[in-house]
Amino acid sequence: MARSVFGFLSKGSIPEEISGEHHYFRLPRNSDYRAWYALRSDSRPFLERWEPSWEHDGLTESSFRARVIRSAQEFASGVAVPLFLFTRSDHQLIGGLTIGHIRRGASQSCMIGYWMGERFAGQGHMTAGLTIAIHYIFNQLALHRIEAACIPENDRSIRLLEKAGFQREGYMKEFLKIRGEWRDHVLYALIAGNYNKIGKPDI
């Protein structure tokens, strides 16, 4: 067990892994670089449609090490939980999910973003991962509201959110710059009070 660095968590510790029966999440490590590089580079055309423009050195090992440091800092400060998603059977990296913009006080909310390697897409992996993450957010982080935004043409992401119980709440004009263009996004949210409607995760 790792000692919690979240000052707002009262349980004193969180697991080094956020575990499900067939999948688990954990923070990025320097040793993940080769698997991450292979997955991201192989999936680049698939992912670039939905992501901000990639930096010219974004796939280098030095850039990845900086990402690991930044992830640890965000985690330590309590503003985000940047996670990699693995299959439990072979410990293979297949994607990632970030619990970001964590807001306490009167808000008690966060925003999630996620990505999946192309060869693993459409196989139910992110559905399982998202369910695990939702359970963690509502039960361990004790947040009240989860938000997610996606490009209206991203039918796969919209189906994923709706299957998990998220409801559409609005339309945000030019919300994020994707591939050099300001793109509209659809806002979805899941409230803790509606959590029972999505069922239990595979844990």
Side-chain angles (χ1 to χ4, degrees):
M1 300 289 284
R3 182 173 179 78
S4 175
V5 291
F6 281 92
F8 48 74
L9 282 181
S10 61
K11 296 185 178 181
S13 64
I14 65 170
E16 293 182 357
E17 297 178 357
I18 303 172
S19 298
E21 183 179 355
H22 302 295
H23 303 81
Y24 64 91
F25 287 107
R26 65 162 169 77
L27 295 175
R29 301 171 182 168
N30 288 332
S31 58
D32 295 322
Y33 173 68
R34 289 189 177 183
W36 175 86
Y37 173 84
L39 186 61
R40 295 284 294 181
S41 59
D42 289 348
S43 305
R44 184 165 187 163
F46 174 74
L47 295 173
E48 280 189 318
R49 293 177 292 170
W50 319 115
E51 297 185 352
S53 298
W54 291 25
E55 300 291 339
H56 71 280
D57 62 345
L59 291 177
T60 63
E61 187 169 6
S62 61
S63 177
F64 181 79
R65 288 181 178 274
R67 179 189 299 269
V68 171
I69 293 172
R70 185 170 62 252
S71 295
Q73 291 172 339
E74 291 174 347
F75 178 75
S77 66
V79 299
V81 187
L83 300 165
F84 280 173
L85 178 62
F86 298 84
T87 53
R88 181 160 299 286
S89 59
D90 55 7
H91 305 288
Q92 187 167 30
L93 174 64
I94 61 174
L97 183 147
T98 296
I99 305 167
H101 300 286
I102 296 175
R103 305 179 291 278
R104 290 292 171 173
S107 180
Q108 298 294 323
S109 62
C110 68
M111 178 168 277
I112 60 169
Y114 43 82
W115 63 275
M116 176 65 60
E118 183 174 16
R119 68 180 182 272
F120 301 107
Q123 301 174 33
H125 294 298
M126 190 53 75
T127 297
L130 180 57
T131 307
I132 296 167
I134 291 169
H135 181 81
Y136 173 74
I137 291 167
F138 285 149
N139 290 277
Q140 296 298 115
L141 299 184
L143 294 175
H144 172 71
R145 172 184 171 89
I146 308 171
E147 298 176 353
C150 58
I151 295 173
E153 294 81 15
N154 194 344
D155 295 331
R156 179 173 283 170
S157 186
I158 289 174
R159 288 195 301 269
L160 171 70
L161 293 171
E162 291 179 345
K163 183 177 181 179
F166 283 74
Q167 296 182 349
R168 177 170 171 165
E169 289 195 344
Y171 193 89
M172 299 180 292
K173 299 290 291 183
E174 299 186 3
F175 179 62
L176 292 175
K177 200 170 189 178
I178 305 297
R179 301 191 69 180
E181 296 183 5
W182 289 103
R183 298 295 307 274
D184 299 347
H185 282 64
V186 181
L187 175 65
Y188 280 82
L190 180 64
I191 308 300
N194 297 329
Y195 174 56
N196 290 334
K197 295 181 180 179
I198 67 172
K200 296 181 179 180
D202 62 337
I203 60 176

